[in-house]
Amino acid sequence: MMGRFNKFTCDANSTIADVYTHIKKKRTTFAIIIKRKSVIGTFTLGDYKESLFKGTNLNNKITTIAKKKFFKLEQGYDKSLLKKSFRKNTIDFIPILKKSKLVDIVFKKQI
């Protein structure tokens, strides 16, 4: 799929159950959802728990519940914006994109 980001990415055609299994198997807390090499959303363990609470069918496509409005930065971003973004938002990671393609992931613990 995306080489060095395989641990953190899942295809948009995957089911909710498939993405949850991927997250648990890779020992991470989120997945970045990819469709035709472009990032279209994110999915976290919190989103999974919320879907269970709502009674969502776990065989539905991940695109039915993935967050399509998610925090991201474009490649070449201002480094001061990164710190400010982590402070202002309750997020643990920020996808770095170049024309909708994933080029990096910055984690809060790195800052």
Side-chain angles (χ1 to χ4, degrees), residues 2-60:
M2 305 229 34
R4 68 185 181 118
F5 301 117
N6 282 349
K7 177 177 180 176
F8 303 105
T9 58
C10 286
D11 187 83
N13 290 317
S14 303
T15 65
I16 297 165
D18 290 339
V19 175
Y20 174 74
T21 300
H22 176 85
I23 288 171
K24 294 305 284 181
K25 185 175 160 187
K26 299 296 183 177
R27 296 182 175 177
T28 185
T29 59
F30 69 93
I32 295 173
I33 310 304
I34 308 290
K35 183 176 186 178
R36 291 187 216 109
K37 298 184 181 178
S38 293
V39 175
I40 62 161
T42 62
F43 180 76
T44 66
L45 286 179
D47 298 329
Y48 178 75
K49 291 173 186 173
E50 185 178 322
S51 68
L52 288 177
F53 182 74
K54 290 180 178 179
T56 303
N57 183 337
L58 300 181
N59 291 316
N60 288 349

Side-chain angles (χ1 to χ4, degrees), residues 31-98:
I32 295 173
I33 310 304
I34 308 290
K35 183 176 186 178
R36 291 187 216 109
K37 298 184 181 178
S38 293
V39 175
I40 62 161
T42 62
F43 180 76
T44 66
L45 286 179
D47 298 329
Y48 178 75
K49 291 173 186 173
E50 185 178 322
S51 68
L52 288 177
F53 182 74
K54 290 180 178 179
T56 303
N57 183 337
L58 300 181
N59 291 316
N60 288 349
K61 295 241 186 241
I62 191 64
T63 52
T64 61
I65 65 167
K67 300 282 192 259
K68 292 173 181 76
K69 291 184 179 182
F70 58 96
F71 196 88
K72 59 194 172 282
L73 291 173
E74 283 293 318
Q75 187 178 35
Y77 59 89
D78 182 341
K79 302 286 187 211
S80 65
L81 181 61
L82 190 64
K83 288 182 181 182
K84 183 189 286 184
S85 300
F86 278 120
R87 270 198 314 273
K88 287 179 75 174
N89 300 284
T90 56
I91 51 178
D92 293 324
F93 67 96
I94 299 175
I96 309 300
L97 309 180
K98 180 179 181 181

